[in-house]
Amino acid sequence: MTRIILFKTLRAIITLLVAVTLVFLFIRLSGDPAVALAPPDAPPAVIEEYRQRLGLDQPLWTQYLSYIGGMFQGNFGYSIHTGRSAPSLFMDRLPATLLLGLTALGISVVLGVTLGTIAALRHNSAIDRMVMSFSVFAFAMPNFFFGLLVVLTGALVFGVYFGGSGATRTLGQLLAPAATLGLATMGSFARFTRSSLLETLNKPFMTALAARGVPFRRRLLRHAAPNAAIPVVTMLGLSLGGIVAGAVVTEQVFSWPGVGQLLIRSVETRDIAVLQFIVLMIALVMTITNLLVDLLYLALDPRMRGGRNG
């Protein structure tokens, strides 16, 4: 088991390095940041001064080694607009994004697993078809479109505006973007839970338990649920990526003061240090989440502990 954890940790480090390298290259190959930062009518001498100040006059490989070296020393650069360090700007926005993301994940898991379980227990019934239809609708609905519908409906029908600026929000202003962000993931959880639970309920060992007179509730909670949870755990890890990606759009639609807004602003203004740090943090969250999912696999399925896992 130690060998598996070490292998997956090494793979996570390599993934982080690849993500940082790709972002580093894309930012610099997509255009000269000095041109974007300088005034529109700036002469070439001013643009060259910006380039020297940012270190962009050095060879690309020198810039890369300098950034990687600074990263290992805890120096992730400073914003070219505010002068503050990239981590401090990120930490200012992180609480709002965590609040939104965790609320959205909670909504999607609770409602998705509940609806999927009901659909599995009422297989081929009208309730099953309704739940699956809603799940497909939720999965197919783009976040930005549903978010705009929520904002327009709230403002025009109920006289409530769910957007706005500032960090102080009401419960309704939190639930609106959280439900928007968790809608697609909720549909995926419902479908995965239904299919996994149906497959488990139809396995021979469940039939044997029923023949021995084990009550249905006990069969469901102690035997079917743990076995059916393995694909759902995978979905839980993958859903974090969708929530992180969807938060960028959702925060823009609802003017939520989180990391997503900071990311878009950094892209628009070519704030290199802030952009690179945000992408690094997103990649870090994804790799750690995948590692935790693998460890949960080992805990839920003892058969995986004795095999070779990559």
Side-chain angles (χ1 to χ4, degrees), residues 62-110:
T62 303
Q63 299 179 42
Y64 177 74
L65 292 178
S66 176
Y67 176 71
I68 295 297
M71 183 178 67
F72 282 107
Q73 296 175 7
N75 179 17
F76 295 94
Y78 296 84
S79 170
I80 54 180
H81 299 290
T82 65
R84 295 178 57 189
S85 65
S88 67
L89 290 174
F90 177 84
M91 293 304 297
D92 286 347
R93 300 293 190 103
L94 183 60
T97 295
L98 285 178
L99 177 61
L100 176 62
L102 292 178
T103 304
L105 184 61
I107 291 173
S108 62
V109 171
V110 172

Side-chain angles (χ1 to χ4, degrees), residues 135-310:
S135 300
V136 172
F137 168 79
F139 181 77
M141 177 71 72
N143 279 337
F144 71 91
F145 181 71
F146 184 70
L148 290 175
L149 287 180
V150 171
V151 172
L152 291 175
T153 303
L156 299 178
V157 178
F158 300 102
V160 178
Y161 179 53
F162 294 114
S165 58
T168 303
R169 300 299 178 100
T170 64
L171 180 61
Q173 289 173 320
L174 168 63
L175 291 180
T180 300
L181 186 57
L183 182 66
T185 312
M186 180 184 65
S188 299
F189 272 114
R191 292 185 296 113
F192 269 79
T193 301
R194 175 185 178 273
S195 60
S196 180
L197 188 56
L198 275 177
E199 181 182 356
T200 304
L201 289 174
N202 292 324
K203 285 187 175 180
F205 78 91
M206 293 298 297
T207 304
L209 289 172
R212 290 168 51 188
V214 178
F216 177 76
R217 184 184 296 273
R218 185 177 178 182
R219 299 200 309 268
L220 178 65
L221 297 179
R222 295 193 57 180
H223 300 279
N227 285 277
I230 295 178
V232 179
V233 168
T234 305
M235 185 62 205
L236 180 62
L238 296 176
S239 66
L240 283 178
I243 286 178
V244 169
V248 177
V249 177
T250 304
E251 288 183 3
Q252 283 295 107
V253 172
F254 290 92
S255 300
W256 189 264
V259 175
Q261 273 197 344
L262 181 62
L263 176 62
I264 292 180
R265 184 180 302 174
S266 301
V267 172
E268 292 174 345
T269 61
R270 306 300 292 274
D271 204 341
I272 299 174
V274 178
L275 177 58
Q276 290 178 153
F277 184 77
I278 292 176
V279 174
L280 175 63
M281 290 298 101
I282 293 175
L284 180 63
V285 170
M286 292 297 300
T287 51
I288 291 178
T289 301
N290 288 332
L291 179 60
L292 292 177
V293 168
D294 291 335
L295 296 179
L296 283 175
Y297 259 26
L298 296 176
L300 290 173
D301 192 350
R303 295 171 299 178
M304 299 184 64
R305 299 171 194 167
R308 298 182 61 183
N309 296 278

Side-chain angles (χ1 to χ4, degrees), residues 3-20:
R3 183 178 170 186
I4 297 174
I5 296 176
L6 290 176
F7 173 77
K8 293 183 180 297
T9 302
L10 177 62
R11 187 171 64 181
I13 295 174
I14 296 175
T15 302
L16 288 175
L17 185 60
V18 170
V20 171

